[in-house]
Amino acid sequence: NAGVTQTPKFQVLKTGQSMTLQCAQDMNHNSMYWYRQDPGMGLRLIYYSASEGTTDKGEVPNGYNVSRLNKREFSLRLESAAPSQTSVYFCASSEAKTGGTYGYTFGSGTRLTVV
Amino acid sequence: GQQVMQIPQYQHVQEGEDFTTYCNSSTTLSNIQWYKQRPGGHPVFLIQLVKSGEVKKQKRLTFQFGEAKKNSSLHITATQTTDVGTYFCAGLPGTSYDKVIFGPGTSLSVIP
């Protein structure tokens, strides 16, 4: 029972390069999320997906795109990386439904450095 | 916009002392969740409170949800070095069913 799996764990990019962060969950959760965490900034929501086939912007979506490939997988793409995107990225999932959500399960994170 | 605040931002305690972090929302919440993140790790879900005035305990941890469902607290009795980390509250606004708002977290250091 792996929970939420993120790849890669570490990545160094040059400014302007692109990459996709992968996330998969095996808990049959409906909702999936992408957060970034910067020192002193807490967790900021980039994009989320309430169900397969739907995605919505969060607090800091600029410079990112997402794809909810199927119920299990939710990927985050940086089309042209910038140093300001240096951060730790967390994927999370939850069993959310009308009437309330349940605790989020987080992946172990991707530590991204853009030089 | 909707905000969730936490105080204090940092807390340093001697091992064995108690610790409390407070969470306040600008709007009424459907529920409040608490997470712990160890240094270098990822947030781990601790508990969810749903009812007004609810109190839940997990060993040395006591969680409370305010009567107005706009504030919450986490109290740790007799801290241990294993309690080190950042504690986040996350509130589910009444207008949402799937997107919580995370507080900025309280970083706890325990001096042995």
Side-chain angles (χ1 to χ4, degrees), chain B residues 4 19 67 72 75 79 83 88 98 102-103:
Chain B
V4 173
F19 160 77
E67 294 289 341
S72 181
H75 180 82
T79 54
D83 296 324
F88 294 97
D98 63 351
F102 279 87

Side-chain angles (χ1 to χ4, degrees), chain A residues 40, chain B residues 8-12 19 105-108:
Chain B
Q9 186 176 2
Y10 301 98
Q11 185 79 56
H12 306 276
F19 160 77
T106 295
S107 177
L108 173 64

Side-chain angles (χ1 to χ4, degrees), chain A residues 31 33 35 37 42-43 45 48 50 57 90 94 96-104 106-108 111, chain B residues 9-10 30-31 33 35 37 40-45 48 88 92 96-100 102-105:
Chain A
S31 297
Y33 313 82
Y35 287 89
Q37 186 174 40
L43 292 157
L45 182 65
Y48 73 106
K57 295 179 180 179
F90 289 105
S94 74
K97 53 189 177 183
T98 304
T101 189
Y102 301 92
Y104 289 13
F106 282 82
S108 58
R111 283 149 181 82
Chain B
Q9 186 176 2
Y10 301 98
S30 297
N31 66 46
Q33 300 172 358
Y35 295 79
Q37 183 176 24
H42 59 276
V44 174
F45 174 70
Q48 176 172 281
F88 294 97
L92 182 67
S96 173
Y97 78 91
D98 63 351
K99 193 174 63 170
V100 300
F102 279 87

Side-chain angles (χ1 to χ4, degrees), chain B residues 40-108:
Chain B
H42 59 276
V44 174
F45 174 70
L46 295 176
I47 205 162
Q48 176 172 281
L49 305 173
V50 179
K51 299 177 183 176
S52 170
E54 189 170 13
V55 178
K56 287 189 175 180
K57 292 189 176 184
Q58 289 181 347
K59 298 183 179 179
R60 295 178 293 103
L61 278 62
T62 303
F63 305 84
Q64 293 188 335
F65 199 11
E67 294 289 341
K69 301 185 75 173
K70 296 179 73 173
N71 57 73
S72 181
S73 65
L74 159 59
H75 180 82
I76 302 178
T77 303
T79 54
Q80 300 175 359
T81 54
T82 54
D83 296 324
V84 166
T86 300
Y87 292 85
F88 294 97
C89 64
L92 182 67
T95 53
S96 173
Y97 78 91
D98 63 351
K99 193 174 63 170
V100 300
I101 301 174
F102 279 87
T106 295
S107 177
L108 173 64

Side-chain angles (χ1 to χ4, degrees), chain A residues 20-65:
Chain A
T20 300
L21 281 64
Q22 307 287 353
C23 175
Q25 53 95 5
D26 62 2
M27 297 168 287
N28 202 37
H29 284 168
N30 293 325
S31 297
M32 297 186 73
Y33 313 82
W34 276 104
Y35 287 89
R36 62 178 289 174
Q37 186 174 40
D38 303 294
M41 299 293 290
L43 292 157
R44 292 187 291 170
L45 182 65
I46 305 171
Y47 271 94
Y48 73 106
S49 171
S51 61
E52 184 179 352
T54 68
T55 60
D56 284 289
K57 295 179 180 179
E59 182 184 355
V60 288
N62 291 343
Y64 306 94
N65 285 299

